[in-house]
Amino acid sequence: MSALRTPQIDANHLDEDFQSYNWEIFSSLFRHSYSHLIHSLKHEFQLFLRLLTSYNTLLSSRSSATIGQQLLQLKYSPSIQTRWQKFLYLSSFVFSYLYEKFLVDYRRLLPFQFIYKAFLLINFLFFLHHGTYINLFERFTRLTTVHNYPPALRVLDYSYMKRELIWHTLNETLGTIIPFISSLKARTFMRKHLSGTIMKRLEQTNICSVCEQSIVMPHESMGECKHYFCYVCAYSLIQQSCPICFKKINNIKPKEFSSE
């Protein structure tokens, strides 16, 4: 039984990422010296690295899988044993080298490029339908990718996703509502409606009921409310309710203390 389609695609991408990372490490060794040589012989060095990697993985007697297949517990069945299979595998590297160095035109799509990409597309569509031969090399050699061990059924648990969804929804809701609620309004509302149960009703003291600091430059309302607060705090209460008696404050004036 051939491997699932998703692991085969992932293994193919892992092989490409490994080749890119391998080249990045190799080219960094000559970044400060012989950089012109690396630039001019880039494709030759990349071909050498691919052959070196294959010699230690897929072409070795110890393994029958590429780097990506080993990471995902996949392998070729049957393994590459005949000379014809090894020749086609190495020829695919040589073809990639010739194609990237001499046949690719990045300014426009040449007829040969169009035909080659069309073959790749047709082969990939066949792979999606049948689940075998993700690339032309596998199709020519009739190599099938299989799992090292039978894939186990996975039970998907959505509890974590549900918690994340509820948390993000609550976070977005609070982030929308909180900017419209000032702390003073919230405290005044709670003291007005929950006094005697949860919140204690405030009394006039030398501590400002707004900033909860010692009163500086005491000011009071010019209306029915006679409680006094810091000047800045009293100014912020204009057109709002007093946090002690809940009466509306229309304007303020300096607090006059009796001389008794």
Side-chain angles (χ1 to χ4, degrees):
M1 180 180 178
S2 60
L4 300 176
R5 294 170 177 81
T6 302
Q8 293 188 63
I9 296 175
D10 290 341
N12 197 33
H13 284 298
L14 286 173
D15 289 332
E16 295 176 358
D17 292 340
F18 175 78
Q19 296 297 339
S20 300
Y21 179 74
N22 203 12
W23 167 249
E24 181 180 352
I25 296 299
F26 180 80
S27 59
S28 64
L29 300 176
F30 305 95
R31 182 172 300 169
H32 303 290
S33 59
Y34 302 104
S35 58
H36 63 284
L37 185 63
I38 292 295
H39 180 73
S40 59
L41 299 178
K42 173 182 177 180
H43 299 289
E44 285 77 8
F45 282 121
Q46 287 180 341
L47 175 62
F48 168 74
L49 292 176
R50 290 179 181 177
L51 294 175
L52 183 62
T53 303
S54 301
Y55 178 76
N56 291 280
T57 55
L58 193 58
L59 297 180
S60 67
S61 58
R62 297 170 297 176
S63 174
S64 60
T66 62
I67 296 292
Q69 291 174 339
Q70 293 178 27
L71 293 174
L72 298 179
Q73 299 295 319
L74 303 176
K75 65 179 180 180
Y76 281 129
S77 178
S79 59
I80 297 180
Q81 296 177 349
T82 64
R83 293 182 177 180
W84 170 247
Q85 291 175 332
K86 294 180 180 180
F87 172 76
L88 286 179
Y89 183 68
L90 296 176
S91 298
S92 64
F93 288 159
V94 176
F95 175 79
S96 299
Y97 160 73
L98 296 175
Y99 177 79
E100 294 174 1
K101 186 173 181 64
F102 300 105
L103 303 178
V104 173
D105 190 348
Y106 295 100
R107 296 170 298 179
R108 58 193 179 96
L109 188 63
L110 298 177
F112 178 80
Q113 290 179 256
F114 175 79
I115 296 173
Y116 176 64
K117 291 183 179 295
F119 272 112
L120 293 179
L121 176 61
I122 294 173
N123 180 78
F124 186 71
L125 294 177
F126 273 104
F127 164 75
L128 293 179
H129 181 70
H130 298 288
T132 54
Y133 311 134
I134 190 173
N135 51 50
L136 295 177
F137 161 71
E138 293 183 5
R139 186 167 297 277
F140 289 148
T141 55
R142 298 297 178 180
L143 290 174
T144 304
T145 304
V146 297
H147 291 281
N148 290 341
Y149 308 99
L153 294 177
R154 295 182 298 173
V155 179
L156 297 180
D157 187 7
Y158 293 97
S159 58
Y160 175 77
M161 187 181 300
K162 291 178 181 178
R163 289 196 300 268
E164 287 294 314
L165 183 60
I166 293 173
W167 169 249
H168 284 296
T169 303
L170 179 62
N171 190 23
E172 292 291 335
T173 304
L174 294 178
T176 304
I177 296 177
I178 287 177
F180 297 97
I181 302 177
S182 65
S183 60
L184 177 62
K185 289 182 178 179
R187 285 184 294 172
T188 302
F189 176 83
M190 294 182 67
R191 290 191 182 107
K192 182 177 181 179
H193 296 279
L194 301 178
S195 60
T197 56
I198 299 177
M199 301 292 293
K200 294 183 179 179
R201 182 176 295 274
L202 296 180
E203 297 179 356
Q204 182 68 71
T205 62
N206 292 328
I207 302 299
C208 178
S209 300
V210 178
C211 65
E212 299 180 351
Q213 303 292 330
S214 298
I215 297 178
V216 179
M217 297 176 61
H219 279 62
E220 64 180 354
S221 171
M222 298 179 63
E224 298 179 359
C225 173
K226 297 303 179 181
H227 299 108
Y228 55 94
F229 314 92
C230 300
Y231 167 71
V232 176
C233 298
Y235 188 81
S236 67
L237 290 175
I238 295 178
Q239 302 300 324
Q240 296 190 40
S241 299
C242 170
I244 299 178
C245 63
F246 310 119
K247 295 180 180 179
K248 188 174 182 180
I249 298 177
N250 295 318
N251 206 345
I252 60 174
K253 64 178 181 178
K255 173 67 176 177
E256 297 179 357
F257 294 94
S258 60
S259 56
E260 297 179 358

